Amino acid sequence: MTATAVQDSIPAHVPPELVGSFNFYTSEQMVPTPMGDPQAATSVLHSGPPVFYAPNNTRNGEGTWVVVRAEDQRKVLQDGVTFSSNRRLFASALGEDWPLIPLEIDPPDHAKWRSLLNPLLSPKRVVAMEPIVRERAVEIIEEIRRSGNSCNAMDDFCLPYAVSVFLQFLGIGTENLRTFVDWAMDQLHGAPDKRTAAARRFIAWLDELQAERRKRPSDDFMSFVTQAEVDGRRMTEHEVRAMSVLLLVAGLDTVAAAVGFDLYYLARHPEQQTLLRTEPDRLVLAAEELLRAYPTVTPTRKATVDVELAGAPIKAGDLVACPAMTANRDPAEFADPDSIILDREDNRHVAFAYGVHRCLGSHLARREIVIGLEEWLARVGPFRIKEGTTPITHGGFVFGVKDLILAWD
Amino acid sequence: MRIRVDGAKCQGNARCWALAPDMFELNDEGYMEEAVIDVPDGDQEKASRAVRACPERALTLIDD
Ligand code: HEM
Ligand code: SF4
């Protein structure tokens, strides 16, 4: 965008002194960057106003307010009435208009959907899923080891791992793993036309699975939701679709990116790598610290009324972005926020957000990260970024790292 | 020492449970319900760490 176009897109109620020059899509370190550190690059925002306006701060180039501090983000994310998540983003990309369930449903309706889903991914349920998660991790890592002593961490490990755990949760086999990984890549990182095509394929595939499970239920997620009742009636086909498609977009790339950033960090810090390999009990706490340092998601809301937040005159209809990256490096919340301290205690990071939409999959995601790293460290041995290769990091909708080629002896 | 759980604020992050599974009993959805929990002698340190772990600020220490 040219400077004048940006200027034109700033609404009149935004005071000029609150217009920031940083956005999460096109600023330095947010664009694809060799050996970058995009989360750390957002730390500078703590020296500016606590809430500022970023023109061009969504995938579609809309402007948003950016809430920098953890405490202010908590106010936004814990108040789903003033700050609505009914944005219908996924549907609008398809030229349609329906909410993802439960992400784009506001309180009080949100609770009934959430209550239905909570038991499926509760901490106790996740404990029962662990053996399968570990089996998947081991299978994929062993295949990598058989094929040599280097690999593309995202394509060969992180994504297939996240996808196969997910397919297991949905209740289907992993024969189509590769196709699925390709779809996921297109859906999340492809050019807009590829994203739309991939989204339609996902939907068609989920519709088919739904029809199949309605006819012949088994004991998996899809069978559960096709049988489940809300408000004393069965869910409609459309509701089942809006729910299952959300799990797909929410639970694949996020897990893969988290494991990817962790491996990227460990590849550059051999002494920490050795510590976690020799004392795997440290992984639970270390994974929390890495989630704090390398979160990937920016929950975004739409104001329903005019409201002032930390000096910013937000108007009904404005978008309000709460990047986990800045909250997680808030000096008011974390001592020495830019240092990675693998045994940090009292770590109230917001990688999974706050409030009613707190990540439904957080308990599963936490275990996937810990188990994935544990098996990787134990089986692969000391690893590094392969000589002559350069990982590329990026900001945006979901932060990520690619071209992460790891090598070992 | 006791802990007050604000059931309305709890969003099921289960960070308290992760630190002290015996002290914090999650319901089937994985959330804490409104309660006042007695902290057994000797568990004070664990209890206050659990309170500090709650991202939603749903837990408060009552020092009696
Ligand atoms: C490290 C991995 C993950 C991260 C960082 C992450 C992050 C998040 C965040 C920040 C939100 C809140 C979004 C908002 O409030 O706008 C969220 C919501 C959600 N996540 Fe995750 N997530 C991860 C893994 C998963 C997994 C594995 C699943 C499913 C199995 C999942 C399912 C969901 C669902 C369904 C919601 C919407 C909850 C609601 O609206 O009530 N996520 N996630
Ligand atoms: S840590 Fe807080 S939000 Fe999480 S379960 Fe415990 S009380 Fe609830």
Side-chain angles (χ1 to χ4, degrees), chain A residues 158-168 174 177 180-181 184 252:
Chain A
C158 305
L159 259 170
Y161 173 50
V163 171
S164 67
V165 170
F166 185 77
L167 292 180
Q168 192 72 43
T174 47
L177 185 58
F180 230 90
V181 170
L252 298 186

Side-chain angles (χ1 to χ4, degrees), chain A residues 77 85 102-104 110 114 117 121 166 169 246-247 250-252 254-255 258 291 296-297 299-301 350-354 356-362 364-365 368-369:
Chain A
L77 297 174
S85 35
L103 182 62
E104 296 179 328
H110 172 267
R114 184 70 193 224
L117 290 171
L121 285 157
F166 185 77
F169 172 70
L246 169 62
L247 286 170
L252 298 186
T254 46
V255 174
L291 277 165
T296 54
V297 182
T300 300
R301 301 293 185 258
V350 299
F352 297 113
Y354 301 112
V356 295
H357 296 283
R358 187 271 307 162
C359 177
L360 174 71
S362 61
L364 177 60
E368 285 185 74
I369 294 169

Side-chain angles (χ1 to χ4, degrees), chain B residues 5 9-17 24 26 30-32 50 53-59:
Chain B
V5 183
K9 271 198 179 160
C10 172
Q11 301 296 350
N13 293 271
R15 306 321 296 148
C16 53
W17 175 82
F24 297 92
L26 303 177
Y31 288 57
M32 288 296 293
C54 175
E56 312 285 347
R57 310 325 195 234
L59 306 175

Side-chain angles (χ1 to χ4, degrees), chain A residues 154 159 162 184-185 188-189 248-258 398-399:
Chain A
M154 292 311 294
L159 259 170
M185 288 304 282
L188 297 151
H189 300 290
L248 268 174
V249 262
L252 298 186
D253 199 33
T254 46
V255 174
V398 178
F399 280 35

Side-chain angles (χ1 to χ4, degrees), chain A residues 74 78 114-115 118-119 123-124 288 333 345-346 348 354-356 358 363 366, chain B residues 11-15 17 26 28-31 49 51-57:
Chain A
R74 199 158 56 242
Q78 287 185 337
R114 184 70 193 224
S115 289
N118 273 328
K124 287 173 200 159
E288 293 300 316
E333 186 87 9
E345 308 262 3
D346 303 338
R348 285 191 271 205
Y354 301 112
V356 295
R358 187 271 307 162
H363 310 300
R366 286 188 150 107
Chain B
Q11 301 296 350
N13 293 271
R15 306 321 296 148
W17 175 82
L26 303 177
D28 287 345
E29 289 192 29
Y31 288 57
R49 273 184 56 202
V51 168
R52 290 199 304 272
C54 175
E56 312 285 347
R57 310 325 195 234

